[in-house]
């Protein structure tokens, strides 16, 4: 007898955006003043530590039973996921949890971030903006490796957002195929998140 194949389906519990409150705290500034400065620092550090490793968190809530991704907005048109560079030898998940607490946590408050599912990988072949969800065949030494993790939020939480950012909840239909507005990584999150099933509280 042929046994039926079994596929494990990952179910993710999402809570409504209204369960979360958002305060403000002191500004947090980027390490680099410009894109050019960022790539120059990447070039300088490559000689000593090799390929840069970055981890980022995908925080999901829902409105009207539609998943929304929490994004940090800087200015009018720049959006990013909360994330951090991982120093050689450091644990990726612990680095991400610490980053989330430093970026969105309130002083004296502890938020339990559920980081246990890697969503996707992206590689930067050179000291330039283009990134790919694979290592191009002619590239033997990529300059950056980005890993995105699904972050399970507690049922309720109070966030503190740095004053120079806004925390926005972007619906998946707004992100889908919208690389002009959100860049190649964020705009492909709907595809990468489609492998999960969602339960809406």
């Amino acid at each position: 007898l042929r046994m039926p194949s079994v596929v494990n389906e990952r179910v993710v519990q999402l809570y409504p955006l209204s369960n979360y409150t958002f305060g403000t705290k002191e500004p947090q500034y980027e390490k680099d003043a410009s894109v050019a400065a960022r790539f120059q620092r990447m070039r300088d550090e490559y000689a000593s530590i090799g390929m840069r490793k970055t981890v980022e968190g995908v925080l999901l809530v829902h409105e009207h039973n539609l998943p929304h991704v929490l994004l940090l907005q800087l200015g009018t048109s720049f959006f990013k996921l909360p994330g951090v560079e991982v120093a050689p030898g450091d644990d990726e998940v612990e680095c991400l949890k610490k980053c989330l607490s430093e970026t969105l946590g309130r002083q004296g408050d502890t938020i339990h971030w559920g980081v246990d599912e890697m969503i996707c990988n992206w590689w930067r072949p050179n000291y330039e903006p283009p990134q790919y969800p694979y290592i191009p065949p002619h590239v033997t030494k990529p300059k950056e490796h980005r890993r995105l993790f699904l972050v399970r939020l507690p049922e309720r939480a109070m966030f503190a957002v740095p004053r120079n950012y806004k925390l926005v909840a972007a619906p998946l239909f707004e992100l889908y195929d919208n690389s002009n507005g959100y860049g190649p990584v964020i705009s492909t999150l709907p595809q990468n998140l489609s492998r999960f099933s969602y339960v809406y509280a």
Side-chain angles (χ1 to χ4, degrees):
L1 290 176
R2 183 173 179 178
M3 298 296 291
S5 59
V6 177
V7 177
N8 291 324
E9 186 175 33
R10 178 76 160 88
V11 177
V12 178
Q13 174 92 56
L14 299 185
Y15 299 102
L17 179 61
S18 57
N19 278 23
Y20 305 97
T21 55
F22 305 91
T24 60
K25 61 183 177 184
E26 291 302 307
Q28 293 182 7
Y29 298 103
E30 299 285 321
K31 283 185 177 181
D32 309 296
S34 66
V35 174
R38 182 170 185 268
F39 289 136
Q40 185 57 53
R41 183 168 64 86
M42 188 184 294
R43 186 187 299 271
D44 295 341
E45 292 177 350
Y46 186 83
S48 58
I49 64 174
M51 179 182 67
R52 175 176 294 178
K53 294 183 179 180
T54 306
V55 291
E56 297 170 47
V58 178
L59 285 61
L60 296 177
V61 297
H62 81 85
E63 278 201 291
H64 310 298
N65 292 352
L66 180 70
H68 286 55
V69 181
L70 296 182
L71 300 173
L72 292 166
Q73 179 180 354
L74 182 61
T76 58
S77 60
F78 179 73
F79 299 89
K80 72 172 194 171
L81 297 164
V84 66
E85 297 168 19
V86 180
D90 284 356
D91 181 87
E92 292 180 345
V93 170
E94 292 307 313
C95 283
L96 180 55
K97 288 180 178 179
K98 181 180 178 182
C99 165
L100 293 171
S101 293
E102 291 176 348
T103 305
L104 297 175
R106 299 188 311 151
Q107 188 170 5
D109 193 12
T110 300
I111 298 176
H112 296 285
W113 311 101
V115 182
D116 60 3
E117 188 97 22
M118 201 267 292
I119 296 174
C120 60
N121 292 279
W122 285 80
W123 283 269
R124 190 188 306 277
N126 300 300
Y127 306 110
E128 297 170 350
Q131 303 166 74
Y132 304 94
Y134 54 86
I135 301 176
H138 64 282
V139 174
T140 57
K141 295 180 179 179
K143 302 305 182 284
E144 183 179 17
H145 180 196
R146 296 173 65 183
R147 302 186 80 184
L148 275 59
F149 289 86
L150 180 67
V151 179
R152 290 180 290 105
L153 293 175
E155 184 175 357
R156 298 181 183 277
M158 297 182 67
F159 297 122
V161 184
R163 286 196 184 91
N164 53 325
Y165 286 101
K166 286 194 293 186
L167 191 65
V168 298
L172 294 187
F173 65 78
E174 169 71 19
L175 303 180
Y176 177 69
D177 203 26
N178 190 357
S179 60
N180 287 338
Y182 294 95
V185 176
I186 293 175
S187 65
T188 54
L189 282 176
Q191 292 95 313
N192 287 314
L193 292 169
S194 68
R195 63 190 175 95
F196 301 114
S197 294
Y198 299 100
V199 175
Y200 304 104

